[in-house]
Amino acid sequence: MEDVTDAGIYARESSYLDRHVQLGAASGRVLSVTFPERPDDDAEADHPVLDRIFEYLDGLEEITFDDVQVALTVPTDQRAVLESVREIPYGDQVTVDTLARMTSGLDHEDEDDVILVRTALDQNPAPILIPDHRVRDGPSAAPPAVEQKLRSLEEL
């Protein structure tokens, strides 16, 4: 597992995304990934997970984040959906229906379960690390312009 023991807020400007990538970490886990136009004033620039995110954004090679621990402080049913999203490989995409099928305990034909999937995607605390941009007909927690650039990077 990637060591993210340094608690704090970390941010760096991405020329590819035309905004900053900001990461919150504590207790050895990533708490959040956001894309502010201006980072928090106390944000630091150096963190190993932020380095990997920028390697990913360079697009020179396939980068995965399977070993990065994300603190999923969301309801259990949403956690199951987001854990399923982490299983979608780089360069692949699925539909909301397929994601519901991939998630144990959900029925892709049950409207409440489909709403649950969409809610989990929308409230994803760590886009990129939990690649909701790979769900082509679902919402993303990343801003639309960022989502489109992530999809383009992976040729989705």
Side-chain angles (χ1 to χ4, degrees):
M1 294 283 170
E2 179 74 38
D3 182 15
V4 293
T5 54
D6 295 330
I9 298 172
Y10 304 86
R12 216 178 284 162
E13 188 171 5
S14 167
S15 59
Y16 178 69
L17 297 178
D18 295 324
R19 58 181 53 226
H20 289 79
V21 177
Q22 184 165 289
L23 148 70
S27 302
R29 297 173 185 231
V30 172
L31 303 175
S32 64
V33 176
T34 58
F35 307 94
E37 291 185 16
R38 256 188 95 237
D40 288 3
D41 290 337
D42 58 346
E44 298 178 32
D46 293 323
H47 193 279
V49 174
L50 202 54
D51 292 343
R52 290 200 29 217
I53 289 172
F54 275 78
E55 287 176 33
Y56 166 82
L57 293 173
D58 285 343
L60 300 176
E61 62 183 280
E62 181 178 315
I63 303 290
T64 64
F65 300 99
D66 300 342
D67 61 331
V68 176
Q69 293 185 8
V70 178
L72 288 175
T73 55
V74 297
T76 303
D77 49 2
Q78 290 182 22
R79 178 179 297 120
V81 171
L82 295 176
E83 288 171 352
S84 292
V85 171
R86 290 193 86 180
E87 296 173 12
I88 304 168
Y90 180 101
D92 286 356
Q93 62 183 337
V94 301
T95 63
V96 168
D97 181 73
T98 301
L99 182 56
R101 290 176 193 234
M102 291 170 54
T103 306
S104 179
L106 295 187
D107 178 356
H108 70 282
E109 294 180 345
D110 183 325
E111 186 62 28
D112 288 339
D113 286 351
V114 171
I115 290 169
L116 169 67
V117 169
R118 290 182 170 284
T119 301
L121 293 169
D122 187 54
Q123 295 178 4
N124 176 5
I128 297 181
L129 304 182
I130 302 173
D132 57 21
H133 63 278
R134 296 179 187 155
V135 183
R136 72 170 170 246
D137 59 343
S140 173
V146 171
E147 177 190 10
Q148 289 307 310
K149 288 188 175 190
L150 298 177
R151 292 181 58 73
S152 177
L153 182 71
E154 294 188 29
E155 300 179 356
L156 300 176

